[in-house]
Amino acid sequence: MLEVLVLGALAVAAASLDAALAGGPGPFREAARLLAMERRVTPRADRALTRIGAIALPVAAALAALVVPFGGHAALGSRVGVVWFNAMEVVAWGAVWLVGWGVNSAYALVGGYRFVAQGLAYELPHMFALMTAAVAAHSLDLRVIGAAQGGLWFGVWMPVAFAVYLLSALAMAFWGPFGAPLGADIAGGAALDLPGPDRLVFLAGRYGLLAVASAVAVPLFLGGGNGPLLPSWLWSAVKACAVLALLVWAGRRLPVLRMDRFVQAAWIVLIPAVLLQMLVVAIVVVD
């Protein structure tokens, strides 16, 4: 379970960096404010569904973290780690939608449906990016995929798949340009009417998803724990921190995309591009 704790620390680091870039209070101060916030409930809200949704988000991030290898070891040594990681995203979809539905608020419900629409748009490019790395390594095991990059990182010779994966990582955590589910135009979206403690759990899950997605990029595209001098687990952590810092920075520097434009770009640009990348990889691997 050490890997889960490391990724939890990365999530706290992401929240700290985000607060520094935004010029706001640190994560612990914000957590204290949310815990002290007066609990409010909208009329006819389904409190059980709301709490299940809020709790399910960090649970999905923690379960996804089980298959993330640091060096050559993972808490859950699964041969289908890629599939497990992808399945936990579906849990995140349900979690955000339940939060938007359960509070019985129009703006929150719009935020929940926005995330479902966003998920339908990014999921296919995301899956094809994952499959591209799996095809190159002949395995769905994240440990095997990382070990297969002893010579050349997959991110170097399949840059389109790597770029699509990074975009989908932002979308999975509804972060930065894909933050429409929590957009200001719908007064905060899915998390609008969450009470303080529930909002804290929900936001922790969001940072957790961002940290897990950053860590999974390492065995998929950045050579896993391969590197000189340092032990393999430390290389994995260093690379994960670098990806996480990039994603947090992008979240504060890139504007939020309109949902219809993102959906259009996903179907017209991202899917054909990553399919072409996967075809090239498959041809190279077969040859």
Side-chain angles (χ1 to χ4, degrees), residues 163-190:
V164 168
Y165 176 83
L166 292 179
L167 285 175
S168 63
L170 290 169
M172 180 175 72
F174 41 106
W175 186 263
F178 305 104
L182 299 184
D185 61 322
I186 48 175

Side-chain angles (χ1 to χ4, degrees), residues 6-236:
V6 170
L7 289 169
L10 285 179
V12 174
S16 301
L17 178 59
D18 181 47
L21 292 175
F28 297 106
R29 183 177 175 183
E30 180 66 10
R33 184 186 71 83
L34 290 174
L35 288 173
M37 181 183 295
E38 182 179 357
R39 183 178 293 275
R40 67 179 188 273
V41 180
T42 52
R44 301 179 65 182
D46 192 323
R47 298 177 66 180
L49 284 182
T50 303
R51 288 185 175 179
I52 289 172
I55 293 171
L57 202 63
V59 168
L63 290 175
L66 293 176
V67 297
V68 179
F70 278 82
H73 304 282
L76 178 63
S78 173
R79 295 182 179 179
V80 290
V82 171
V83 178
W84 177 269
F85 167 68
N86 198 220
M88 291 306 105
E89 296 178 50
V90 180
V91 178
W93 287 19
V96 178
W97 186 84
L98 281 177
V99 167
W101 175 273
V103 295
N104 193 33
S105 169
Y107 288 147
L109 184 60
V110 170
Y113 274 116
R114 275 187 175 181
F115 187 60
V116 173
Q118 181 167 287
L120 293 173
Y122 87 77
E123 183 60 28
L124 278 178
H126 177 71
M127 288 175 60
F128 289 136
L130 295 175
M131 289 172 61
T132 302
V135 167
H138 303 286
S139 177
L140 292 170
D141 190 331
L142 289 170
R143 297 166 300 176
V144 175
I145 295 174
Q149 303 170 60
L152 185 64
W153 291 359
F154 287 170
V156 175
W157 72 280
M158 49 182 81
V160 175
F162 185 33
V164 168
Y165 176 83
L166 292 179
L167 285 175
S168 63
L170 290 169
M172 180 175 72
F174 41 106
W175 186 263
F178 305 104
L182 299 184
D185 61 322
I186 48 175
L192 170 62
D193 289 301
L194 279 180
D198 293 340
R199 182 186 293 264
L200 175 60
V201 173
F202 182 82
L203 294 178
R206 188 188 189 197
Y207 284 112
L209 288 174
L210 196 66
V212 170
S214 301
V216 171
V218 175
L220 284 176
F221 297 103
L222 299 178
N226 294 319
L229 302 177
L230 301 178
S232 60
W233 65 268
L234 187 53
W235 268 119
S236 295

